[in-house]
Structures are given as C-alpha cells and as structure tokens.
Amino acid sequence: MTAGPAPLYNGFTMGNTRSVSGPLLAFARLEGAWVTAAGLADRPAVVASGAVVADVSPAARAAGLRPGIRVRSARRLVSDLMVVEREAIDPLAALEPLYEVLLGLSPQVEPVVDHLAAYCALSPASAGDEVIAALQAGKLERWGHRLIVGIGHGRLVARMAARVAARTRAGGSGAGARAPQVVAEVQGGNAARSGDPGSGGGAGVSAARALEVVSCRVPPGQEAPFLAPMPVTTLQEEVPPAARRQLQRLGLYTLGDVAMAPRQVVARAVGEQAPLLQAWCRGDDRRPLAPGYPPPGVTATLEAPPELGDDLRAPWWPAQLPRLAQQVAGRLVATGCAGRLVILEGERSRVGRYLPVATTAPDGLARAALELYRRLLADEPAPGRLALTVTALEPVARQLALDGLVPDARPAGNPGPGPAGPPRCREPEAPALLDELARRYPGRVFWGRERPVPRRERQLAYWDPWRGAPRGPAP
C-alpha cells in the first residue's frame, strides 16, 4: 500500500526551524493619523484616496468602517459620514509624530506613507514588550487612535505580523488568520488612556480618546510556518497586481504554495524574480531598509552682526531672508531636486511649513521663509542666527530631446540648419522608442505635437477609414 500525498505545508512544520537571515524589523501603523490631521477625529469621518477609504476615525470604526472599503459603501453604512480627500491634507506631516517616536528606537526608519506606517530596524536583542512600551510612551494618542505593530525577521514577515495584529480585538487574541496565531505571539489591549496613571496622556486629549495597541511578534525560526497560509494577494510590495493574478491562475493561492512550487512555475508569473520571491515566502528576506526619515535637506545659515542690538535684529532679518532662499535654491538646482518642507530654525525655536508642490523657485522659498519668520517672532523676538532648510526632496522632472535619437527628425528638403517643421520619421524605430518610453514612464512622455503616423499606416487608413489614422498624401 503506497503512502498518501504529503501535507501541503509538511516542510513548514513547527519542528523544522532554521537560522534567521533577515534583519529584525518592526512595522508600525498608526490608524487615525490622517483623520486627526484633518480635524475630524471626534466625528464619523474617513480620508479617501480616490474611491477607497484610506483612514477612519474612531466613530467610523465603531460603525463598522475599515480602511480599504469603498467610499460608496461607507456612505451607505453611515448616513452622516464626512469624507475628506487625501489631497486636502499633508500625509507626511500627519505621520511625523509616529516617525519621531520610531526614530527614538532606531536611526533607521523607512516611511510607508501610503499605509500610514513605517519600517523600523531593531537590534537583535530587542524584546517585543520593550518596543511596545517605548511606542506607548510616545503619547501617540494625540495623533491617532489605533497602533498596530508587527515584529519579525524580514520586511515581509514584519508586515504580515502587523496584518495579523490588525485583526486582533482589544483584550483578546482573535487574530482571525488561519494558522499564523499558532506560531506568533499576538497581544491586544488598550493603553495610554487619558487620565490613567502612567499613561502619559496630555491634557488636551479627551477622556474618551485612547490609543488601542495591538501587536504580533513572530519568534525566530518560525517565519516559514507563519507565512505559509497567507494569501498571495498580500504581496503588494513584492510583485505587481498582474503577477499576483497570474500566480492564482497557476494554482498558487498562498505563500506556502509559492515557496514549495517548482521554480519554473513561479517564473511564469514573475520571471527572473522567482528565486527571490520563493526565498521571501520561506521567510528568508534580506532586503535592507531604505532610511527616509528625517528626510535629507539643503540648509543655508546666516548670523546677525554682533553690533546689532535686539531692537534692530527684528527689522533686519526680513531683508536677509531672500538671500538665504537664493542660496538654498541654488543648491537645490545643483542637486537636481525640489523641496516641499521649508524649516526656519533660530537659536531656541523652530517652525516649518509644507508647500503644496515641491519647488526650487527662490521667490516661493523667500515668501515661505518670511511667513515662517513672522511665526518665529512669537517665541524668539530677536534671533541672532537663522537657518533655512528645505527637505522632503523630490527629483525634478526633466525633458529629454529625441532629435538626436530619432533618425531623419527634420522635414524633407531641410537638411541644414534653420527652422525645423513638424518632425518626420521614416524609420520605424521612432514610434517604438516613444512607446517604450511611455511604458517605462507612464504619464510623463509627451510628443509635443501630433505623433507622426508611419507611411504604411496612412496607406492602410486610405482603404480602411475606420482605422482612425489622419488622411493625407503619402510622402
């Protein structure tokens, strides 16, 4: 009698542990941060990213709303629901308190703004209780109502641990996952309630506001059995949506299926990424963090002349701030970046402002610096030194001239210098090049005028007008 087939996750049993290769990370998510930044923390409100709910208030969560639900469905559940578009708030500014607290745990913090979260590198000797206690001591109840923490070795394990913790109710361990709670330490509870001894709640926090803290920690060596039952739809950072759908068409519905499938099968969905993806699904995730907080910036500093008295410094600075803005703008142009966050720092105080769009314009930076200086005077009437910093840098969009890449880009009969008419492309490489650039940079490639139509396409359009090509004589 032949033995039956082995269980699907036979290779991921509890006794089959292995040495951990990935770094110890914490994935922390602060729900309610965007709603609080919009000033609607005490009302049934949500922050929407397009047609999907991205963040909910405590009242909206009590009504059954969750991040990821459609806005139309949320309006049906809550008649008096207030919806704020994500573009109306600054997501990074709303999450800065969380990032500041994480920065106290480790200098390596990678923001994940779209998910109201961040990765934080921990020392191998860090205990989960110590991390949770440090986060609770940061008084995050002022900026959110629910803190979700996942701790494990590797980016994927830490993020999946936070996913399991998010299903945990306060005071219980009903994570709701199929098997992860068997190998993960799941904890839930309410902490930092205003008025409780040792909670650290500020005076401005309502007594009804509390920070619900839920966490999940995956013990070392149990990464593979923890990840095995997770669906492939959770691989949002690892593979694109089309690849996730292809994995399901191939019969690979869980991370355990991906880890145990033949490499050639996985390669049909993700190509050359198959070995890495299978290693990540087994818990061998060595991807390093990309620290992004505090963001790098450009700074210019100026000190007031010592002979100026306190009564003369206040009117002296407004004329000097455009010089600081000019210096910062020149350095931004040299680095090829534009900045969104403008910070003006004196000797004892510091103020900042987020710009609507990233800029390198000296005039815009000077106006922002003057506005910040007026705010700074309330705490520091006569500063002796000012430092203007622009952070939250973004690459400046550049334009690529294709004249040198496209053969015969000048019109016929005009081979020499002179005014060039509409580009004429005899070679088929030009449309192919434009299509490739448009594929790699969607929404950022513009021809500048009507794209030239190949001669063959115009001939076909002459006999088949439904092709939609412009009519005209063939060259």
Side-chain angles (χ1 to χ4, degrees):
M1 181 176 180
T2 60
L8 181 60
Y9 302 119
N10 186 45
F12 301 139
T13 58
M14 293 287 292
N16 187 15
T17 59
R18 61 167 185 81
S19 60
V20 178
S21 301
L24 183 62
L25 303 177
F27 184 84
R29 172 184 169 88
L30 183 62
E31 291 189 359
W34 291 352
V35 176
T36 303
L40 302 173
D42 298 329
R43 306 178 63 177
V46 298
V47 173
S49 179
V52 181
V53 172
D55 194 18
V56 298
S57 66
R61 172 172 283 277
L65 303 187
R66 297 293 185 270
I69 190 174
R70 308 289 292 185
V71 175
R72 182 179 300 178
S73 302
R75 290 185 185 274
R76 295 197 197 102
L77 294 175
V78 182
S79 58
D80 57 343
L81 182 69
M82 298 193 64
V83 179
V84 179
E85 294 295 333
R86 176 179 166 179
E87 289 76 11
I89 62 174
D90 194 317
L92 182 60
L95 293 169
E96 276 191 341
L98 172 63
Y99 299 155
E100 291 288 349
V101 174
L102 293 177
L103 204 60
L105 295 175
S106 170
Q108 293 185 323
V109 176
E110 178 182 336
V112 188
V113 179
D114 292 340
H115 297 283
L116 295 91
Y119 289 100
C120 176
L122 304 176
S123 64
S126 298
D129 296 340
E130 298 176 358
V131 175
I132 301 302
L135 292 174
Q136 290 178 352
K139 303 179 181 178
L140 292 174
E141 66 274 9
R142 300 185 180 186
W143 297 280
H145 66 271
R146 194 164 190 256
L147 180 64
I148 303 168
V149 184
I151 302 176
H153 288 268
R155 298 171 64 98
L156 183 59
V157 174
R159 195 173 78 248
M160 293 300 101
R163 181 178 183 269
V164 171
R167 301 184 179 185
T168 304
R169 291 186 177 181
S173 60
R178 249 194 318 164
Q181 61 266 33
V182 177
V183 296
E185 303 170 2
V186 184
Q187 298 178 352
N190 276 343
R193 185 179 295 277
S194 177
D196 294 344
S199 66
V205 183
S206 172
R209 289 279 302 275
L211 182 66
E212 178 187 345
V213 181
V214 290
S215 63
C216 174
R217 183 177 182 274
V218 181
Q222 299 298 335
E223 290 82 7
F226 173 78
L227 293 175
M230 297 289 181
V232 295
T233 54
T234 58
L235 297 173
Q236 299 179 359
E237 292 186 5
E238 286 72 21
V239 293
R244 296 197 296 268
R245 292 191 295 267
Q246 181 64 17
L247 288 172
Q248 292 178 323
R249 295 191 191 100
L250 296 173
L252 308 178
Y253 297 102
T254 65
L255 304 190
D257 296 342
V258 176
M260 298 187 64
R263 183 169 299 177
Q264 295 82 357
V265 176
V266 181
R268 293 176 60 183
V270 299
E272 298 179 353
Q273 194 184 357
L276 280 177
L277 182 60
Q278 289 187 296
W280 297 339
C281 293
R282 289 192 298 267
D284 186 7
D285 191 349
R286 310 183 190 185
R287 289 175 290 174
L289 290 186
Y293 190 87
V298 175
T299 304
T301 305
L302 182 63
E303 293 187 4
E307 61 271 13
L308 286 179
D310 294 346
D311 55 340
L312 297 178
R313 288 179 186 172
W316 181 81
W317 278 113
Q320 310 303 321
L321 289 177
R323 292 175 46 195
L324 286 178
Q326 187 72 34
Q327 295 179 18
V328 172
R331 297 175 186 177
L332 288 174
V333 172
T335 58
C337 294
R340 284 193 60 194
L341 175 58
V342 182
I343 299 173
L344 187 64
E345 186 174 3
E347 296 176 315
R348 300 188 306 272
S349 57
R350 179 175 180 265
V351 291
R353 176 197 170 190
Y354 277 87
L355 302 177
V357 293
T359 182
T360 59
D363 296 339
L365 296 178
R367 287 192 297 268
L370 290 172
E371 178 186 347
L372 293 176
Y373 178 69
R374 287 190 289 268
R375 292 169 48 189
L376 186 72
L377 289 178
D379 299 328
E380 194 170 350
R385 179 184 60 84
L386 288 180
L388 182 64
T389 304
V390 177
T391 64
L393 304 183
E394 302 175 3
V396 177
R398 300 180 181 274
Q399 295 183 351
L400 175 65
L402 298 179
D403 292 346
L405 302 178
V406 179
D408 194 19
R410 305 185 68 84
N414 187 17
R424 177 185 180 214
C425 301
R426 293 182 178 177
E427 301 293 337
E429 287 82 0
L433 175 61
L434 291 174
D435 292 339
E436 178 66 17
L437 289 175
R439 185 185 65 82
R440 293 188 180 183
Y441 309 100
R444 300 180 63 184
V445 177
F446 305 95
W447 179 255
R449 52 176 62 89
E450 185 180 358
R451 180 182 291 195
V453 181
R455 177 174 178 268
R456 179 177 180 275
E457 188 67 25
R458 284 197 294 268
Q459 289 177 336
L460 292 175
Y462 178 80
W463 299 104
D464 184 9
W466 293 104
R467 296 184 68 86
R471 301 286 187 89

